[in-house]
Amino acid sequence: SYVLTQPPSVSVAPGKTARVTCGTDYFGSITVHWYQQRPGQAPVLLVYDDTDRASGISERFSGSNSGNTATLTISGVEAGDEADYYCQVWDASNDVYVFGPGTKVSV
Amino acid sequence: QMQLVQSGTEVKKPGASVKVSCKASGYTLTAYYLHWVRQAPGQGLEWMGWINPNAGGTNYAQKFEGRVTMTRDTSISTAYLELNGLTSDDSAVYFCARLATMGIQPKFDPWGQGTLVTVSS
């Protein structure tokens, strides 16, 4: 099964760009999804299939995947972006859903 | 607007069972798989399994096999998670989440608001 790694925390100044990474040995044909979880709230889908923004999500959120590292980029960071961010993949061979450990973004 | 509304906070003693509900609105429950994910205090997200609300089939994460049961009542558009043999390690917020099928690979959208389960003697 996939094991995903994320940095525990990322700190960024308002208006700057934050990058949150999600790594594994090799994603191959697997696509990565990203969720935002604000304190005390349920996760919200931000970006799916590496690069597609979910409905209603700001253009400031974007995603990429280089093969063994997926990246969520938050441009023009705002105070409201302070949250935990999780990556997630589907291990089709075992029909198991795997989350990364999460990254706390501090603004 | 698609929405999942979960039942309220539960406090259970060790060894007991808990049953959490998740009511779907704004879409037909039977049209999409429904997943359960939990989050222990200060920890990350842990996938528990899914139920196919149409046929009733299930797939549980190996960690929970033998202790978890996912069911549904289509007449009231509600899915259920039951967890037996509770220990303090099961204290967590339990989320239901609809499997979203747009795009290439499955993901979760939307999520329920979460149900806090506390296991304490």
Side-chain angles (χ1 to χ4, degrees):
Chain A
S1 190
Y2 283 85
V3 175
L4 303 177
T5 59
Q6 295 184 242
S9 62
V10 168
S11 185
V12 59
K16 298 299 185 182
T17 297
R19 292 180 178 83
V20 180
T21 58
C22 177
T24 194
D25 288 341
Y26 184 60
F27 284 112
S29 60
I30 298 294
T31 63
V32 178
H33 317 305
W34 291 94
Y35 302 87
Q36 177 193 63
Q37 186 180 32
R38 293 190 173 106
Q41 297 187 18
V44 172
L45 179 67
L46 286 179
V47 170
Y48 64 93
D49 291 337
D50 298 333
T51 60
D52 293 339
R53 263 186 307 277
S55 177
I57 299 302
S58 168
E59 292 181 355
R60 297 187 300 104
F61 293 90
S62 61
S64 63
N65 189 337
S66 69
N68 62 352
T69 302
T71 302
L72 173 72
T73 300
I74 312 172
S75 305
V77 168
E78 302 172 353
D81 297 332
E82 195 160 272
D84 294 324
Y85 292 83
Y86 294 91
C87 57
Q88 176 253 313
V89 300
W90 177 48
D91 179 350
S93 59
N94 297 298
D95 195 15
V96 169
Y97 294 74
V98 181
F99 290 95
T103 298
K104 182 175 182 60
V105 171
S106 299
V107 180
Chain B
Q1 177 188 357
M2 296 175 295
Q3 196 174 7
L4 297 170
V5 178
Q6 299 184 222
S7 49
T9 297
E10 300 269 8
V11 179
K12 297 291 182 181
K13 293 194 181 304
S17 299
V18 68
K19 192 170 186 177
V20 178
S21 69
C22 172
K23 183 174 177 60
S25 62
Y27 79 98
T28 302
L29 177 70
T30 54
Y32 299 88
Y33 283 32
L34 198 288
H35 291 242
W36 291 90
V37 176
R38 77 177 185 179
Q39 185 172 39
Q43 301 301 309
L45 302 170
E46 181 177 30
W47 177 75
M48 299 182 69
W50 56 252
I51 180 169
N52 174 355
N54 185 36
T58 55
N59 177 34
Y60 304 138
Q62 191 171 13
K63 175 177 180 177
F64 302 102
E65 279 278 9
R67 214 161 62 89
V68 69
T69 304
M70 296 177 189
T71 57
R72 89 291 189 216
D73 183 339
T74 57
S75 69
I76 55 171
S77 298
T78 299
Y80 301 94
L81 168 75
E82 185 169 17
L83 190 62
N84 305 317
L86 293 170
T87 71
S88 58
D89 289 341
D90 294 315
S91 293
V93 176
Y94 290 76
F95 296 99
C96 59
R98 195 195 78 162
L99 190 70
T101 55
M102 73 284 193
I104 302 171
Q105 298 207 327
K107 68 287 291 180
F108 306 120
D109 182 46
W111 295 61
Q113 85 276 19
T115 296
L116 176 63
V117 175
T118 301
V119 182
S120 174
S121 55

